[in-house]
Amino acid sequence: MSHLPQTIHEARRLLRSGAMTSVELTEAYLERIAWMEPDIRAYLHVAEAQSLAQARLADERMAAGQDTPLLGVPLGVKDIINVQGMPATAGSRILEGFRPPYEATVVRKLREQGAVFLGKLNTDEFAMGWSTENSAYGVTHNPWALDRVPGGSSGGPAAAVAAGEAIAALGTDTGGSVRQPASWTNTVGLRPTYGRVSRYGVIAFASSLDQVGPMTRDVRDSALLLEAIAGHDPKDSTTFPDAVPHYADMLDGGVRGMRFGLPREYFTERMHPGVERATREAVARLRDLGAIVEEVSLPHTGYGMPVYYLIATAEASANLSRYDGVRYGYSAQAPDLQENYKLTRGRGFGPEVKRRILLGTYALSAGYYDAYYLKAQKVRTLIRADFDAVFERCDALIAPVAPIPPYRIGEAPTDPVALYLLDVLTLPSALAGVPALALPAGFVEDDGAKLPVGVQFIGRPLDEATLFRIGRAFEQTNEVA
Ligand code: GLN
């Protein structure tokens, strides 16, 4: 096969026309994985036999006249989302050997629509991190600069899509984990409105923040994939009952006359000059397309980091209490129960996860609950109100995604607070539960390297359609890399 399609819509066109079968397409992707993985290391598990069996089934369905937007298309899945018959480690030793007995709703939906799952993709342990360096199974390399991190926690999905090792992938975003790696790998990442997509079967980190999001090469694919996974799920009571729009039919129309807010607080002190320049250029491009861009203020932005790291760690400490060495994965097999808990958790969790369990347990402990957790929830309401106020005037916000470009593997800031500050531009929207679409905005120079940089559009709750329309108009202004 001479030409390997790189988007869902292109693959579907070729499959539909009979130019190739899903088995051929899947085989070609498996070959590509075998060829690229020594450099990239995005996959924790490649499901050769299973994906080919799915592809055969898809070919049969096509032969029987079926045609759905994902039929026969090979995708990757972040290893924090349960796929029947495949391991699920969440990047943690504590889940080594665990095979979930059930499947995530998002995966079930894709399976029903005939998608093919190539395998499971690397993640920071329990999605806590920025780079995949917190994965217990090794770091993933950025396809644009192999000595750099791909971002995280959905670094595996981002790198796989960027390197052409999957047509598209599913990631998760708790405080930026879809958008930041997308912006560091020149790919498109959507954090949907909290409640738009089911969390059932997704290994929980912080339940009031976790959302599954599409990671794709273009905006049309993001729309197709969101439509395929979104919707009400009786197994996740936080999902909206609202009907899912046909997002892919709503991409056109442009941004002429639309009002954008540029949040003043998002140009932080430690921002790399190249990131600031790319954001300002993106604003200029929007104006050229006929949009109105005005500076706005989200006054509680500065509280995003402390509020997120109280709420997310508190919820994580509760969610992660289930890993007791009895029910799942790794067990230290100590003869005495208390000792078994201690050894299993001591050996099974990595340092970042332990730090968060400690922080979260402290924040929830008697006497501190009101001072920390409750207070954080109140400030979260103020952060949400900041967004409500600007959305009275603006259709969407435009903002940078991460303050710096991808750093070299092993060269992350050593001070945890400096690390936590990497998320300042993605945490407030996650806390507010609003959707945000990150997409390529060009490249920045850093220490001799040319590195991808993204921009994000933040929208009103449940208004992903507007984000796709903006994204589609914006991506057409990108030069082909
Ligand atoms: N980097 C943030 C954290 O470590 C966000 C991670 C995420 O969205 N899963 O918590």
Side-chain angles (χ1 to χ4, degrees):
M1 191 177 1
S2 53
H3 175 68
L4 194 57
Q6 297 190 344
T7 59
I8 297 172
H9 51 95
E10 194 190 348
R12 277 303 304 151
R13 209 166 39 237
L14 292 174
L15 291 169
R16 199 179 292 128
S17 74
M20 68 174 67
T21 64
S22 176
V23 167
E24 285 169 347
L25 180 61
T26 304
E27 276 171 349
Y29 265 92
L30 290 170
E31 269 169 39
R32 172 111 185 143
I33 290 170
W35 181 49
M36 298 296 292
E37 273 301 278
D39 288 334
I40 306 291
R41 299 178 190 275
Y43 280 88
L44 296 181
H45 174 74
V46 180
E48 289 198 22
Q50 242 181 300
S51 60
L52 287 169
Q54 277 183 286
R56 274 192 290 277
L57 209 62
D59 284 331
E60 284 167 22
R61 288 172 64 171
M62 276 183 273
Q66 287 187 35
D67 186 358
T68 65
L70 272 308
L71 188 54
V73 178
L75 307 175
V77 181
K78 185 179 183 180
D79 201 20
I80 199 159
I81 302 172
N82 291 343
V83 181
Q84 189 95 55
M86 294 189 199
T89 67
S92 182
R93 281 271 165 246
I94 214 155
L95 280 174
E96 198 160 14
F98 174 62
R99 284 189 181 251
Y102 68 103
E103 186 147 274
T105 296
V106 287
V107 173
R108 177 183 55 75
K109 285 183 175 230
L110 291 173
R111 191 188 291 284
E112 284 168 6
Q113 292 168 60
V116 171
F117 305 119
L118 292 166
K120 303 298 293 288
L121 294 158
N122 201 12
T123 168
D124 285 299
E125 187 173 0
F126 288 103
M128 298 174 187
W130 309 263
S131 64
T132 73
E133 289 170 298
N134 292 341
S135 167
Y137 304 99
V139 60
T140 298
H141 296 247
N142 191 317
W144 291 88
L146 292 174
D147 61 337
R148 307 240 173 185
V149 299
S153 64
S154 310
V161 172
E165 293 183 89
I167 290 192
L170 292 181
T172 59
D173 189 307
T174 302
S177 275
V178 159
R179 291 166 285 162
Q180 181 258 30
S183 101
W184 283 2
T185 55
N186 207 42
T187 55
V188 176
L190 174 77
R191 176 190 168 86
T193 308
Y194 181 81
R196 181 72 289 193
V197 178
S198 168
R199 290 175 294 110
Y200 179 76
V202 180
I203 296 172
F205 162 12
S207 305
S208 76
L209 291 151
D210 298 342
Q211 268 299 283
V212 175
M215 307 194 63
T216 59
R217 289 180 81 98
D218 70 8
V219 172
R220 183 175 302 279
D221 276 6
S222 190
L224 286 168
L225 205 46
L226 180 66
E227 189 174 332
I229 62 172
H232 182 249
D233 180 8
K235 291 181 171 139
D236 175 356
S237 61
T238 62
T239 49
F240 285 100
D242 307 50
V244 180
H246 295 298
Y247 296 115
D249 296 338
M250 300 160 84
L251 299 175
D252 299 330
V255 296
R256 183 163 302 279
M258 269 194 198
R259 299 190 86 87
F260 289 81
L262 178 66
R264 178 179 310 144
E265 293 81 4
Y266 280 36
F267 294 94
T268 54
E269 267 165 53
R270 303 184 202 204
M271 182 167 277
H272 187 284
V275 173
E276 168 150 10
R277 199 174 315 121
T279 312
R280 305 250 180 231
E281 276 173 23
V283 168
R285 285 198 249 159
L286 274 187
R287 289 198 173 119
D288 286 347
L289 292 171
I292 301 150
V293 188
E294 59 184 20
E295 204 175 82
V296 296
S297 175
L298 298 167
H300 297 92
T301 298
Y303 296 107
M305 196 273 267
V307 166
Y308 172 86
Y309 280 99
L310 281 168
I311 293 175
T313 58
E315 293 179 8
S317 72
N319 277 328
L320 271 54
S321 65
R322 60 169 68 90
Y323 304 108
D324 56 6
V326 179
R327 288 175 289 181
Y328 309 92
Y330 172 72
S331 174
Q333 303 286 354
D336 145 337
L337 185 64
Q338 281 303 327
E339 199 56 21
N340 196 45
Y341 289 157
K342 247 200 288 194
L343 283 179
T344 299
R345 290 170 68 84
R347 292 177 191 160
F349 290 133
E352 182 62 30
V353 173
K354 285 180 186 160
R355 178 187 292 138
R356 301 218 186 175
I357 291 173
L358 288 172
L359 272 171
T361 307
Y362 182 75
L364 289 177
S365 56
Y368 293 102
Y369 180 89
D370 288 2
Y372 294 120
Y373 188 71
L374 202 64
K375 188 76 140 288
Q377 290 291 13
K378 290 180 179 168
V379 182
R380 183 178 191 175
T381 305
L382 298 176
I383 291 172
R384 206 175 278 137
D386 280 359
F387 284 94
D388 289 344
V390 294
F391 285 134
E392 282 182 14
R393 286 193 292 139
C394 304
D395 298 300
L397 306 178
I398 176 168
V401 184
I404 57 170
Y407 47 83
R408 287 205 174 79
I409 292 169
E411 292 185 6
T414 42
D415 166 14
V417 176
L419 256 181
Y420 291 177
L421 279 171
L422 284 181
D423 296 328
V424 286
L425 308 174
T426 50
L427 298 178
S429 45
L431 287 162
V434 296
L437 178 69
L439 67 164
F443 292 85
V444 301
E445 292 279 343
D446 183 62
D447 203 10
K450 190 179 161 220
L451 303 166
V453 60
V455 68
Q456 61 177 329
F457 295 99
I458 304 170
R460 297 188 177 114
L462 289 179
D463 196 13
E464 284 83 0
T466 297
L467 294 182
F468 290 136
R469 174 170 158 185
I470 296 164
R472 180 71 196 119
F474 184 81
E475 82 181 344
Q476 292 177 62
T477 69
N478 274 333
E479 285 164 32
V480 180

